[in-house]
Amino acid sequence: MNTKILIIGACGQIGTELTAKLRATYGVENVVASDIRKLENDVVNNGIFEVVNALDYNQIEHLLEKYKITDVYLMAALLSATAEKNPAFAWDLNMNSLFHVLNLAKAGKIKKIFWPSSIAVFGPTTPSQNTPQYTIMEPTTVYGISKQTGERWCEYYNKQYGVDVRSIRYPGLISWSTEPGGGTTDYAVDIFHKAITEGKFTSFLSENTGLPMMYMDDAIKATIGIMQAPEEQVKIRSSYNLSGMSFTPKEIAEEIKKHYPDFTIDYNPDFRQKIADSWPASIDDTSAREDWNWKNDFEIENMTEDMFENLKKHIY
Ligand code: AKB
């Protein structure tokens, strides 16, 4: 059977780049992008686009039937910082959108689901360095609680009902072409823009706050990689740890200085510091590497080079 894809939340940070890559991989006619509103952007203009509310079961069901969808990528979510400001809506969106696609798969209307989890599933009692796949998980943010709960439901639907749902725990994601939307790791994107436009940057996290990060190219590679892996290779049905690189604001500033020697950084931590302090500093992703051959291409050096090259070529 032909792969026919529906992306829910296609206009977000990950969705935008995922949609472009899926269209290039599977053909524009086999990928339906959707989001809560229709913007003037490549996602809307370069292929099939539908307005859909991720909380509307009937709308999703209608699209599945209309386009004979096999695979759903559910990318709609409220991220950590935004979720703290609106806990009730974050819980509603992050959980009920997941239940909709899980139940539609249970009813035989979807063959395969991708659902993103996050390093936010971990908490202050989790070992912070090289955080293992299986460890203490006591998240203290609304976002983290929703992701951890979502993971439990994914595994439950897989074991009880045979739903083929696949998931990875994204670290902070860095991209030159899309803006992040309300996360705690967003500084790591903004810093590149400010290095070019202002030569200085004020970080909302303190200088030695280490967090796991990943270049968007690697995140997209992992997302499509786990979806293309043979079913039996995807042994973990909660969510896989995934690692690219780890750095602190001070370390990324040092790397940026190799390109812009006059660049300066100062620090003014806000409410996001507490969230960052509750997350791991680095991640052990041995299971993803062993089970479905995950491997990252980008470390801090080649990511920084690629960011500046593309920002200067396409944005500034
Ligand atoms: C966030 O900061 O909320 C996200 C994430 C790590 O899931 N980027």
PDB file of all heavy atoms in Angstrom, residues 79-80 118-119 143 170-173 183-185 279, ligand 1:
ATOM      1  N   LEU A  79       4.770  23.979  23.817  1.00  0.00           N
ATOM      2  CA  LEU A  79       6.090  23.655  24.371  1.00  0.00           C
ATOM      3  C   LEU A  79       6.226  24.137  25.824  1.00  0.00           C
ATOM      4  O   LEU A  79       5.322  24.768  26.366  1.00  0.00           O
ATOM      5  CB  LEU A  79       7.187  24.246  23.493  1.00  0.00           C
ATOM      6  CG  LEU A  79       7.281  23.684  22.071  1.00  0.00           C
ATOM      7  CD1 LEU A  79       8.525  24.201  21.385  1.00  0.00           C
ATOM      8  CD2 LEU A  79       7.287  22.169  22.053  1.00  0.00           C
ATOM      9  N   SER A  80       7.395  23.873  26.401  1.00  0.00           N
ATOM     10  CA  SER A  80       7.553  24.000  27.853  1.00  0.00           C
ATOM     11  C   SER A  80       7.241  25.382  28.426  1.00  0.00           C
ATOM     12  O   SER A  80       6.504  25.498  29.408  1.00  0.00           O
ATOM     13  CB  SER A  80       8.971  23.587  28.260  1.00  0.00           C
ATOM     14  OG  SER A  80       9.920  24.364  27.556  1.00  0.00           O
ATOM     15  N   SER A 118       9.964  14.390  24.447  1.00  0.00           N
ATOM     16  CA  SER A 118      10.960  15.433  24.713  1.00  0.00           C
ATOM     17  C   SER A 118      11.818  15.054  25.922  1.00  0.00           C
ATOM     18  O   SER A 118      11.376  14.275  26.786  1.00  0.00           O
ATOM     19  CB  SER A 118      10.213  16.740  25.004  1.00  0.00           C
ATOM     20  OG  SER A 118      11.032  17.658  25.676  1.00  0.00           O
ATOM     21  N   ILE A 119      12.997  15.679  26.005  1.00  0.00           N
ATOM     22  CA  ILE A 119      13.825  15.535  27.216  1.00  0.00           C
ATOM     23  C   ILE A 119      13.099  16.074  28.446  1.00  0.00           C
ATOM     24  O   ILE A 119      13.517  15.837  29.572  1.00  0.00           O
ATOM     25  CB  ILE A 119      15.171  16.282  27.076  1.00  0.00           C
ATOM     26  CG1 ILE A 119      14.926  17.749  26.680  1.00  0.00           C
ATOM     27  CG2 ILE A 119      16.077  15.579  26.085  1.00  0.00           C
ATOM     28  CD1 ILE A 119      16.102  18.662  26.959  1.00  0.00           C
ATOM     29  N   TYR A 143       4.374  20.628  30.528  1.00  0.00           N
ATOM     30  CA  TYR A 143       4.780  20.034  29.254  1.00  0.00           C
ATOM     31  C   TYR A 143       5.394  18.649  29.483  1.00  0.00           C
ATOM     32  O   TYR A 143       5.020  17.665  28.825  1.00  0.00           O
ATOM     33  CB  TYR A 143       5.792  20.981  28.603  1.00  0.00           C
ATOM     34  CG  TYR A 143       6.433  20.522  27.331  1.00  0.00           C
ATOM     35  CD1 TYR A 143       5.696  20.304  26.166  1.00  0.00           C
ATOM     36  CD2 TYR A 143       7.824  20.344  27.259  1.00  0.00           C
ATOM     37  CE1 TYR A 143       6.314  19.923  24.989  1.00  0.00           C
ATOM     38  CE2 TYR A 143       8.446  19.977  26.085  1.00  0.00           C
ATOM     39  CZ  TYR A 143       7.693  19.761  24.959  1.00  0.00           C
ATOM     40  OH  TYR A 143       8.311  19.394  23.785  1.00  0.00           O
ATOM     41  N   TYR A 170      12.822  14.472  21.689  1.00  0.00           N
ATOM     42  CA  TYR A 170      13.670  15.506  21.102  1.00  0.00           C
ATOM     43  C   TYR A 170      14.388  16.295  22.182  1.00  0.00           C
ATOM     44  O   TYR A 170      13.789  16.691  23.184  1.00  0.00           O
ATOM     45  CB  TYR A 170      12.828  16.522  20.317  1.00  0.00           C
ATOM     46  CG  TYR A 170      12.219  16.048  19.029  1.00  0.00           C
ATOM     47  CD1 TYR A 170      10.842  16.167  18.818  1.00  0.00           C
ATOM     48  CD2 TYR A 170      12.992  15.546  17.990  1.00  0.00           C
ATOM     49  CE1 TYR A 170      10.254  15.775  17.624  1.00  0.00           C
ATOM     50  CE2 TYR A 170      12.411  15.156  16.788  1.00  0.00           C
ATOM     51  CZ  TYR A 170      11.050  15.264  16.616  1.00  0.00           C
ATOM     52  OH  TYR A 170      10.467  14.890  15.436  1.00  0.00           O
ATOM     53  N   PRO A 171      15.657  16.604  21.900  1.00  0.00           N
ATOM     54  CA  PRO A 171      16.350  17.623  22.717  1.00  0.00           C
ATOM     55  C   PRO A 171      15.951  19.010  22.191  1.00  0.00           C
ATOM     56  O   PRO A 171      15.045  19.120  21.355  1.00  0.00           O
ATOM     57  CB  PRO A 171      17.829  17.331  22.439  1.00  0.00           C
ATOM     58  CG  PRO A 171      17.895  16.331  21.336  1.00  0.00           C
ATOM     59  CD  PRO A 171      16.506  16.010  20.890  1.00  0.00           C
ATOM     60  N   GLY A 172      16.621  20.075  22.619  1.00  0.00           N
ATOM     61  CA  GLY A 172      16.398  21.397  22.047  1.00  0.00           C
ATOM     62  C   GLY A 172      16.791  21.382  20.578  1.00  0.00           C
ATOM     63  O   GLY A 172      17.837  20.839  20.235  1.00  0.00           O
ATOM     64  N   LEU A 173      15.958  21.958  19.715  1.00  0.00           N
ATOM     65  CA  LEU A 173      16.226  21.882  18.276  1.00  0.00           C
ATOM     66  C   LEU A 173      16.651  23.229  17.704  1.00  0.00           C
ATOM     67  O   LEU A 173      16.062  24.265  18.030  1.00  0.00           O
ATOM     68  CB  LEU A 173      14.993  21.352  17.542  1.00  0.00           C
ATOM     69  CG  LEU A 173      14.568  19.941  17.951  1.00  0.00           C
ATOM     70  CD1 LEU A 173      13.363  19.489  17.156  1.00  0.00           C
ATOM     71  CD2 LEU A 173      15.714  18.947  17.794  1.00  0.00           C
ATOM     72  N   GLY A 183       9.748  27.425  23.673  1.00  0.00           N
ATOM     73  CA  GLY A 183      10.474  26.423  24.448  1.00  0.00           C
ATOM     74  C   GLY A 183      11.531  27.047  25.351  1.00  0.00           C
ATOM     75  O   GLY A 183      11.795  28.247  25.288  1.00  0.00           O
ATOM     76  N   THR A 184      12.135  26.186  26.177  1.00  0.00           N
ATOM     77  CA  THR A 184      13.194  26.621  27.097  1.00  0.00           C
ATOM     78  C   THR A 184      14.557  26.634  26.397  1.00  0.00           C
ATOM     79  O   THR A 184      15.484  27.303  26.828  1.00  0.00           O
ATOM     80  CB  THR A 184      13.211  25.657  28.308  1.00  0.00           C
ATOM     81  OG1 THR A 184      11.904  25.718  28.898  1.00  0.00           O
ATOM     82  CG2 THR A 184      14.240  26.030  29.345  1.00  0.00           C
ATOM     83  N   THR A 185      14.649  25.894  25.309  1.00  0.00           N
ATOM     84  CA  THR A 185      15.913  25.820  24.576  1.00  0.00           C
ATOM     85  C   THR A 185      15.986  26.853  23.442  1.00  0.00           C
ATOM     86  O   THR A 185      16.963  26.864  22.690  1.00  0.00           O
ATOM     87  CB  THR A 185      16.087  24.399  23.987  1.00  0.00           C
ATOM     88  OG1 THR A 185      14.956  24.100  23.165  1.00  0.00           O
ATOM     89  CG2 THR A 185      16.212  23.361  25.076  1.00  0.00           C
ATOM     90  N   TRP A 279      16.065  19.698  33.811  1.00  0.00           N
ATOM     91  CA  TRP A 279      16.288  18.776  32.677  1.00  0.00           C
ATOM     92  C   TRP A 279      17.715  18.245  32.667  1.00  0.00           C
ATOM     93  O   TRP A 279      18.622  18.881  33.212  1.00  0.00           O
ATOM     94  CB  TRP A 279      16.021  19.510  31.351  1.00  0.00           C
ATOM     95  CG  TRP A 279      14.574  19.807  31.107  1.00  0.00           C
ATOM     96  CD1 TRP A 279      13.507  19.380  31.840  1.00  0.00           C
ATOM     97  CD2 TRP A 279      14.036  20.604  30.044  1.00  0.00           C
ATOM     98  NE1 TRP A 279      12.340  19.865  31.297  1.00  0.00           N
ATOM     99  CE2 TRP A 279      12.639  20.614  30.193  1.00  0.00           C
ATOM    100  CE3 TRP A 279      14.593  21.313  28.978  1.00  0.00           C
ATOM    101  CZ2 TRP A 279      11.792  21.296  29.319  1.00  0.00           C
ATOM    102  CZ3 TRP A 279      13.755  21.987  28.101  1.00  0.00           C
ATOM    103  CH2 TRP A 279      12.372  21.980  28.271  1.00  0.00           C
TER     104      TRP A 279
HETATM  105  C1  AKB B   1      11.319  23.050  24.805  1.00  0.00           C
HETATM  106  O1  AKB B   1      12.305  23.727  25.139  1.00  0.00           O
HETATM  107  O2  AKB B   1      10.225  23.098  25.373  1.00  0.00           O
HETATM  108  C2  AKB B   1      11.483  22.073  23.671  1.00  0.00           C
HETATM  109  C3  AKB B   1      11.824  20.715  24.145  1.00  0.00           C
HETATM  110  C4  AKB B   1      13.161  20.434  24.699  1.00  0.00           C
HETATM  111  O3  AKB B   1      11.022  19.834  24.072  1.00  0.00           O
HETATM  112  N1  AKB B   1      12.470  22.560  22.753  1.00  0.00           N
END
